[in-house]
Amino acid sequence: MLEAIKWSQPDDSFQGSLTGRDFLQLSDFTTDEILYLLDVAKELKALQKHGKPHHYLSGKILGMIFEKSSTRTRVSFEVGMMQLGGQAIFLSSKDIQLGRGETISDTAKVLSRYVDCLMIRTFSHNGIEEFAHHATVPVINGLTDLQHPCQVMADLLTILEHKGKLAGLKLCYLGDGNNNMAHSLMEGAAKVGMHISIASPSGYMPDGKITEKAIKIGAQTGSTIMITNDPKEGILDADVVVTDVWTSMGQEEETEARIKALQSFQVNKELCKHAKSDFIFLHCLPAHRGEEVTAEIIDGPHSVVFDEAENRLHAQKAILKELLIK
């Protein structure tokens, strides 16, 4: 290894292999596997920052299917594959036969013959699970309406960088709890021993099955899960404060009702007085300043949203490397 570069090397005690696995939700992975991926992400980030080539995936091709538009997901995966020495192909659902009625199973089987890995950003989580069932190459969840695991890996990496640890910290998510970010944050926090509170109004509570799963995971890792309708209770003594847009793609007709229901869950200076004085603020972006968060917070000294956005690249490179290298 290059002695001039100081990074946290992946834990030598990890003896497992992630090769050939799908990356659909964090609950599919053990605590050790998630922490190992974060270590790999730190190593890859250090290599990039020092301008050192890391072409682990030379000759590999990633197919990227988009049913939902994206900035960060597309660019970070495409750039990530290039930096790893591979290539990425953008596949809009409007341009492939999947968007014209070809079955998920046929599309998965055909594309598996062409590429080494598939990343899908779509609406239906059941759909991506069906796709993965029929594909013979690893499938990565770039986002579904139910889960956003790649984003939460970037979030965990960002928290680790700024706080120096994960276990024992308190994370508070404010806003629509029946949301892919809230769900993946619950699973991710529980896996790494973080305490998490989800503060949402009635009618916007997280999925019951995912909540139950996170509670069971937390019982083994020392993580606690709080679900509350009181934003002050949720944010109390939080080390990390997280929110997301109130209206996601496909929910535009609900915009007015959502703004009315969620306005008391806005992340603002007054509410953040109840968090720890050194809290950090995360948002997966894009953000609507003046809705889910004020400009004073997202553009202020507690915000690490652009470190978080950059870390999509490094976290996903770690996932790609470990799924594709034998």
Side-chain angles (χ1 to χ4, degrees):
M1 280 295 181
L2 302 161
E3 293 182 359
I5 300 176
K6 295 183 179 180
W7 61 63
S8 174
Q9 293 290 335
D11 186 354
D12 290 337
S13 66
F14 178 77
Q15 299 297 321
S17 172
L18 303 180
T19 306
R21 298 266 299 273
D22 296 318
F23 195 85
L24 304 185
Q25 53 259 328
L26 295 178
S27 57
D28 291 340
F29 293 82
T30 67
T31 297
D32 285 346
E33 288 170 340
I34 290 172
L35 295 177
Y36 174 74
L37 284 171
L38 293 174
D39 276 346
V40 173
K42 287 190 288 182
E43 178 188 6
L44 295 174
K45 185 173 183 177
L47 288 170
Q48 182 195 329
K49 295 298 182 184
H50 287 80
K52 302 300 180 182
H54 44 287
H55 297 160
Y56 296 106
L57 299 185
S58 179
K60 301 291 186 181
I61 299 174
L62 171 70
M64 306 187 301
I65 300 176
F66 284 86
E67 289 190 306
K68 281 189 173 185
S69 59
S70 168
T71 300
R72 279 150 294 276
T73 300
R74 178 175 178 180
V75 176
S76 58
F77 269 108
E78 197 159 336
V79 171
M81 279 300 289
M82 291 178 183
Q83 291 179 352
L84 288 168
Q87 298 182 60
I89 301 173
F90 173 77
L91 301 167
S92 167
S93 61
K94 298 177 182 178
D95 300 330
I96 61 176
Q97 297 299 327
L98 185 65
R100 299 179 59 195
E102 184 172 42
T103 65
I104 289 175
S105 61
D106 284 358
T107 303
K109 290 172 183 177
V110 169
L111 291 180
S112 294
R113 305 274 182 123
Y114 298 146
V115 301
D116 300 287
C117 183
L118 285 156
M119 186 282 299
I120 306 176
R121 182 178 169 95
T122 186
F123 293 89
S124 169
H125 194 77
N126 289 336
I128 200 171
E129 288 185 328
E130 182 183 354
F131 199 102
H133 175 73
H134 292 286
T136 55
V137 297
V139 174
I140 298 172
N141 179 0
L143 174 142
T144 66
D145 285 346
L146 194 68
Q147 298 274 3
H148 202 352
C150 290
Q151 177 64 57
V152 171
M153 287 298 293
D155 291 359
L156 294 176
L157 179 59
T158 307
I159 296 165
L160 189 57
E161 288 177 337
H162 283 271
K163 292 296 184 181
K165 65 175 185 176
L166 294 171
L169 295 178
K170 178 181 176 180
L171 182 150
C172 173
Y173 172 89
L174 294 134
D176 180 5
N178 190 20
N179 165 286
N180 49 25
M181 279 303 301
H183 294 153
S184 287
L185 281 167
M186 277 200 295
E187 291 189 358
K191 284 287 184 179
V192 299
M194 293 180 69
H195 307 298
I196 181 168
S197 60
I198 306 290
S200 305
S202 297
Y204 294 86
M205 306 307 284
D207 179 88
K209 290 183 179 179
I210 292 176
T211 302
E212 183 179 349
K213 186 190 301 180
I215 291 170
K216 288 181 179 179
I217 295 168
Q220 311 216 341
T221 62
S223 169
T224 58
I225 316 293
M226 172 196 287
I227 311 295
T228 179
N229 299 133
D230 183 348
K232 291 181 181 178
E233 180 184 30
I235 201 174
L236 184 64
D237 293 330
D239 298 284
V240 184
V241 176
V242 189
T243 192
D244 193 7
V245 293
W246 288 345
T247 305
S248 298
M249 282 180 280
Q251 299 173 334
E252 288 80 6
E253 293 181 0
E254 305 171 21
T255 299
E256 187 176 340
R258 285 176 165 272
I259 291 174
K260 183 177 179 181
L262 291 160
Q263 57 188 242
S264 63
F265 294 81
Q266 182 190 70
V267 181
N268 53 44
K269 183 177 180 180
E270 190 62 32
L271 185 58
C272 287
K273 288 179 180 178
H274 300 279
K276 287 186 178 175
S277 60
D278 62 345
F279 79 92
I280 58 172
F281 173 74
L282 301 179
H283 191 307
C284 63
L285 302 178
H288 297 163
R289 289 165 174 81
E291 286 188 17
E292 73 273 8
V293 62
T294 60
E296 186 175 29
I297 295 296
I298 194 171
D299 299 318
H302 295 279
S303 177
V304 294
V305 297
F306 296 109
D307 291 344
E308 176 189 12
E310 178 190 339
N311 280 337
R312 285 290 301 275
L313 173 65
H314 308 300
Q316 289 162 186
K317 282 167 67 177
I319 294 165
L320 288 164
K321 173 181 176 290
E322 294 305 314
L323 297 189
L324 290 177
I325 289 185
K326 295 182 180 179

PDB file of all heavy atoms in Angstrom, residues 114-131:
ATOM      1  N   TYR A 114     -25.638  -8.801 -21.142  1.00  0.00           N
ATOM      2  CA  TYR A 114     -24.852  -7.719 -21.732  1.00  0.00           C
ATOM      3  C   TYR A 114     -23.935  -7.010 -20.736  1.00  0.00           C
ATOM      4  O   TYR A 114     -22.860  -6.551 -21.108  1.00  0.00           O
ATOM      5  CB  TYR A 114     -25.781  -6.653 -22.333  1.00  0.00           C
ATOM      6  CG  TYR A 114     -26.677  -7.103 -23.446  1.00  0.00           C
ATOM      7  CD1 TYR A 114     -27.939  -6.553 -23.593  1.00  0.00           C
ATOM      8  CD2 TYR A 114     -26.253  -8.057 -24.377  1.00  0.00           C
ATOM      9  CE1 TYR A 114     -28.783  -6.930 -24.622  1.00  0.00           C
ATOM     10  CE2 TYR A 114     -27.099  -8.459 -25.413  1.00  0.00           C
ATOM     11  CZ  TYR A 114     -28.357  -7.885 -25.534  1.00  0.00           C
ATOM     12  OH  TYR A 114     -29.187  -8.277 -26.558  1.00  0.00           O
ATOM     13  N   VAL A 115     -24.387  -6.865 -19.500  1.00  0.00           N
ATOM     14  CA  VAL A 115     -23.659  -6.031 -18.534  1.00  0.00           C
ATOM     15  C   VAL A 115     -23.287  -6.856 -17.298  1.00  0.00           C
ATOM     16  O   VAL A 115     -23.787  -7.961 -17.095  1.00  0.00           O
ATOM     17  CB  VAL A 115     -24.497  -4.799 -18.115  1.00  0.00           C
ATOM     18  CG1 VAL A 115     -24.858  -3.956 -19.335  1.00  0.00           C
ATOM     19  CG2 VAL A 115     -25.758  -5.212 -17.365  1.00  0.00           C
ATOM     20  N   ASP A 116     -22.414  -6.292 -16.467  1.00  0.00           N
ATOM     21  CA  ASP A 116     -21.931  -6.990 -15.276  1.00  0.00           C
ATOM     22  C   ASP A 116     -22.725  -6.642 -14.028  1.00  0.00           C
ATOM     23  O   ASP A 116     -22.639  -7.357 -13.020  1.00  0.00           O
ATOM     24  CB  ASP A 116     -20.464  -6.632 -15.038  1.00  0.00           C
ATOM     25  CG  ASP A 116     -19.596  -7.022 -16.220  1.00  0.00           C
ATOM     26  OD1 ASP A 116     -19.353  -8.222 -16.398  1.00  0.00           O
ATOM     27  OD2 ASP A 116     -19.188  -6.119 -16.976  1.00  0.00           O
ATOM     28  N   CYS A 117     -23.483  -5.565 -14.065  1.00  0.00           N
ATOM     29  CA  CYS A 117     -24.251  -5.111 -12.905  1.00  0.00           C
ATOM     30  C   CYS A 117     -25.345  -4.179 -13.405  1.00  0.00           C
ATOM     31  O   CYS A 117     -25.186  -3.536 -14.457  1.00  0.00           O
ATOM     32  CB  CYS A 117     -23.329  -4.380 -11.929  1.00  0.00           C
ATOM     33  SG  CYS A 117     -24.107  -3.835 -10.382  1.00  0.00           S
ATOM     34  N   LEU A 118     -26.439  -4.114 -12.673  1.00  0.00           N
ATOM     35  CA  LEU A 118     -27.547  -3.230 -13.043  1.00  0.00           C
ATOM     36  C   LEU A 118     -27.939  -2.373 -11.847  1.00  0.00           C
ATOM     37  O   LEU A 118     -28.086  -2.877 -10.732  1.00  0.00           O
ATOM     38  CB  LEU A 118     -28.753  -4.045 -13.516  1.00  0.00           C
ATOM     39  CG  LEU A 118     -28.612  -4.649 -14.910  1.00  0.00           C
ATOM     40  CD1 LEU A 118     -29.503  -5.865 -15.070  1.00  0.00           C
ATOM     41  CD2 LEU A 118     -28.947  -3.602 -15.982  1.00  0.00           C
ATOM     42  N   MET A 119     -28.082  -1.076 -12.082  1.00  0.00           N
ATOM     43  CA  MET A 119     -28.598  -0.161 -11.075  1.00  0.00           C
ATOM     44  C   MET A 119     -29.942   0.351 -11.581  1.00  0.00           C
ATOM     45  O   MET A 119     -30.057   0.739 -12.743  1.00  0.00           O
ATOM     46  CB  MET A 119     -27.634   1.005 -10.858  1.00  0.00           C
ATOM     47  CG  MET A 119     -28.016   1.952  -9.718  1.00  0.00           C
ATOM     48  SD  MET A 119     -29.347   3.119 -10.122  1.00  0.00           S
ATOM     49  CE  MET A 119     -28.619   4.041 -11.467  1.00  0.00           C
ATOM     50  N   ILE A 120     -30.939   0.340 -10.709  1.00  0.00           N
ATOM     51  CA  ILE A 120     -32.283   0.750 -11.118  1.00  0.00           C
ATOM     52  C   ILE A 120     -32.803   1.821 -10.166  1.00  0.00           C
ATOM     53  O   ILE A 120     -32.744   1.675  -8.949  1.00  0.00           O
ATOM     54  CB  ILE A 120     -33.247  -0.446 -11.126  1.00  0.00           C
ATOM     55  CG1 ILE A 120     -32.686  -1.589 -11.981  1.00  0.00           C
ATOM     56  CG2 ILE A 120     -34.620  -0.018 -11.646  1.00  0.00           C
ATOM     57  CD1 ILE A 120     -33.517  -2.843 -11.959  1.00  0.00           C
ATOM     58  N   ARG A 121     -33.303   2.903 -10.729  1.00  0.00           N
ATOM     59  CA  ARG A 121     -33.972   3.965  -9.968  1.00  0.00           C
ATOM     60  C   ARG A 121     -35.417   3.992 -10.457  1.00  0.00           C
ATOM     61  O   ARG A 121     -35.692   4.393 -11.593  1.00  0.00           O
ATOM     62  CB  ARG A 121     -33.280   5.307 -10.199  1.00  0.00           C
ATOM     63  CG  ARG A 121     -33.876   6.471  -9.395  1.00  0.00           C
ATOM     64  CD  ARG A 121     -33.089   7.746  -9.641  1.00  0.00           C
ATOM     65  NE  ARG A 121     -33.763   8.907  -9.117  1.00  0.00           N
ATOM     66  CZ  ARG A 121     -33.536   9.450  -7.929  1.00  0.00           C
ATOM     67  NH1 ARG A 121     -32.638   8.901  -7.119  1.00  0.00           N
ATOM     68  NH2 ARG A 121     -34.179  10.534  -7.542  1.00  0.00           N
ATOM     69  N   THR A 122     -36.340   3.574  -9.583  1.00  0.00           N
ATOM     70  CA  THR A 122     -37.698   3.327 -10.042  1.00  0.00           C
ATOM     71  C   THR A 122     -38.707   3.646  -8.954  1.00  0.00           C
ATOM     72  O   THR A 122     -38.367   4.181  -7.900  1.00  0.00           O
ATOM     73  CB  THR A 122     -37.816   1.855 -10.501  1.00  0.00           C
ATOM     74  OG1 THR A 122     -39.101   1.636 -11.076  1.00  0.00           O
ATOM     75  CG2 THR A 122     -37.597   0.884  -9.346  1.00  0.00           C
ATOM     76  N   PHE A 123     -39.957   3.326  -9.196  1.00  0.00           N
ATOM     77  CA  PHE A 123     -41.035   3.591  -8.246  1.00  0.00           C
ATOM     78  C   PHE A 123     -41.273   2.377  -7.339  1.00  0.00           C
ATOM     79  O   PHE A 123     -41.174   2.459  -6.128  1.00  0.00           O
ATOM     80  CB  PHE A 123     -42.330   3.951  -8.993  1.00  0.00           C
ATOM     81  CG  PHE A 123     -42.268   5.256  -9.720  1.00  0.00           C
ATOM     82  CD1 PHE A 123     -41.824   5.325 -11.032  1.00  0.00           C
ATOM     83  CD2 PHE A 123     -42.673   6.429  -9.097  1.00  0.00           C
ATOM     84  CE1 PHE A 123     -41.766   6.537 -11.708  1.00  0.00           C
ATOM     85  CE2 PHE A 123     -42.616   7.650  -9.751  1.00  0.00           C
ATOM     86  CZ  PHE A 123     -42.163   7.700 -11.063  1.00  0.00           C
ATOM     87  N   SER A 124     -41.569   1.246  -7.927  1.00  0.00           N
ATOM     88  CA  SER A 124     -42.018   0.072  -7.185  1.00  0.00           C
ATOM     89  C   SER A 124     -40.871  -0.728  -6.589  1.00  0.00           C
ATOM     90  O   SER A 124     -39.979  -1.206  -7.315  1.00  0.00           O
ATOM     91  CB  SER A 124     -42.843  -0.826  -8.106  1.00  0.00           C
ATOM     92  OG  SER A 124     -43.077  -2.080  -7.513  1.00  0.00           O
ATOM     93  N   HIS A 125     -40.890  -0.916  -5.276  1.00  0.00           N
ATOM     94  CA  HIS A 125     -39.876  -1.765  -4.650  1.00  0.00           C
ATOM     95  C   HIS A 125     -40.118  -3.231  -5.007  1.00  0.00           C
ATOM     96  O   HIS A 125     -39.157  -3.985  -5.202  1.00  0.00           O
ATOM     97  CB  HIS A 125     -39.888  -1.587  -3.134  1.00  0.00           C
ATOM     98  CG  HIS A 125     -38.675  -2.156  -2.471  1.00  0.00           C
ATOM     99  ND1 HIS A 125     -37.448  -1.523  -2.492  1.00  0.00           N
ATOM    100  CD2 HIS A 125     -38.483  -3.318  -1.793  1.00  0.00           C
ATOM    101  CE1 HIS A 125     -36.557  -2.263  -1.847  1.00  0.00           C
ATOM    102  NE2 HIS A 125     -37.158  -3.350  -1.423  1.00  0.00           N
ATOM    103  N   ASN A 126     -41.375  -3.625  -5.102  1.00  0.00           N
ATOM    104  CA  ASN A 126     -41.682  -4.992  -5.529  1.00  0.00           C
ATOM    105  C   ASN A 126     -41.125  -5.251  -6.925  1.00  0.00           C
ATOM    106  O   ASN A 126     -40.654  -6.355  -7.225  1.00  0.00           O
ATOM    107  CB  ASN A 126     -43.189  -5.242  -5.510  1.00  0.00           C
ATOM    108  CG  ASN A 126     -43.741  -5.328  -4.103  1.00  0.00           C
ATOM    109  OD1 ASN A 126     -43.015  -5.637  -3.159  1.00  0.00           O
ATOM    110  ND2 ASN A 126     -45.026  -5.054  -3.950  1.00  0.00           N
ATOM    111  N   GLY A 127     -41.175  -4.216  -7.762  1.00  0.00           N
ATOM    112  CA  GLY A 127     -40.671  -4.350  -9.126  1.00  0.00           C
ATOM    113  C   GLY A 127     -39.172  -4.613  -9.163  1.00  0.00           C
ATOM    114  O   GLY A 127     -38.698  -5.460  -9.918  1.00  0.00           O
ATOM    115  N   ILE A 128     -38.418  -3.899  -8.322  1.00  0.00           N
ATOM    116  CA  ILE A 128     -36.966  -4.100  -8.333  1.00  0.00           C
ATOM    117  C   ILE A 128     -36.606  -5.451  -7.719  1.00  0.00           C
ATOM    118  O   ILE A 128     -35.646  -6.099  -8.122  1.00  0.00           O
ATOM    119  CB  ILE A 128     -36.241  -2.936  -7.617  1.00  0.00           C
ATOM    120  CG1 ILE A 128     -34.769  -2.876  -8.061  1.00  0.00           C
ATOM    121  CG2 ILE A 128     -36.316  -3.036  -6.108  1.00  0.00           C
ATOM    122  CD1 ILE A 128     -34.024  -1.657  -7.583  1.00  0.00           C
ATOM    123  N   GLU A 129     -37.405  -5.917  -6.763  1.00  0.00           N
ATOM    124  CA  GLU A 129     -37.163  -7.250  -6.202  1.00  0.00           C
ATOM    125  C   GLU A 129     -37.442  -8.321  -7.252  1.00  0.00           C
ATOM    126  O   GLU A 129     -36.715  -9.319  -7.335  1.00  0.00           O
ATOM    127  CB  GLU A 129     -38.024  -7.453  -4.964  1.00  0.00           C
ATOM    128  CG  GLU A 129     -37.545  -6.638  -3.759  1.00  0.00           C
ATOM    129  CD  GLU A 129     -38.324  -6.937  -2.497  1.00  0.00           C
ATOM    130  OE1 GLU A 129     -39.522  -7.251  -2.596  1.00  0.00           O
ATOM    131  OE2 GLU A 129     -37.726  -6.846  -1.405  1.00  0.00           O
ATOM    132  N   GLU A 130     -38.484  -8.130  -8.047  1.00  0.00           N
ATOM    133  CA  GLU A 130     -38.761  -9.073  -9.132  1.00  0.00           C
ATOM    134  C   GLU A 130     -37.638  -9.049 -10.161  1.00  0.00           C
ATOM    135  O   GLU A 130     -37.203 -10.103 -10.661  1.00  0.00           O
ATOM    136  CB  GLU A 130     -40.094  -8.726  -9.808  1.00  0.00           C
ATOM    137  CG  GLU A 130     -40.471  -9.685 -10.923  1.00  0.00           C
ATOM    138  CD  GLU A 130     -41.756  -9.312 -11.645  1.00  0.00           C
ATOM    139  OE1 GLU A 130     -42.433  -8.359 -11.206  1.00  0.00           O
ATOM    140  OE2 GLU A 130     -42.060  -9.966 -12.667  1.00  0.00           O
ATOM    141  N   PHE A 131     -37.156  -7.860 -10.476  1.00  0.00           N
ATOM    142  CA  PHE A 131     -36.056  -7.719 -11.431  1.00  0.00           C
ATOM    143  C   PHE A 131     -34.831  -8.475 -10.932  1.00  0.00           C
ATOM    144  O   PHE A 131     -34.196  -9.231 -11.675  1.00  0.00           O
ATOM    145  CB  PHE A 131     -35.737  -6.237 -11.617  1.00  0.00           C
ATOM    146  CG  PHE A 131     -34.959  -5.929 -12.859  1.00  0.00           C
ATOM    147  CD1 PHE A 131     -35.578  -5.413 -13.977  1.00  0.00           C
ATOM    148  CD2 PHE A 131     -33.581  -6.155 -12.914  1.00  0.00           C
ATOM    149  CE1 PHE A 131     -34.856  -5.127 -15.130  1.00  0.00           C
ATOM    150  CE2 PHE A 131     -32.853  -5.887 -14.059  1.00  0.00           C
ATOM    151  CZ  PHE A 131     -33.494  -5.366 -15.172  1.00  0.00           C
TER     152      PHE A 131
END
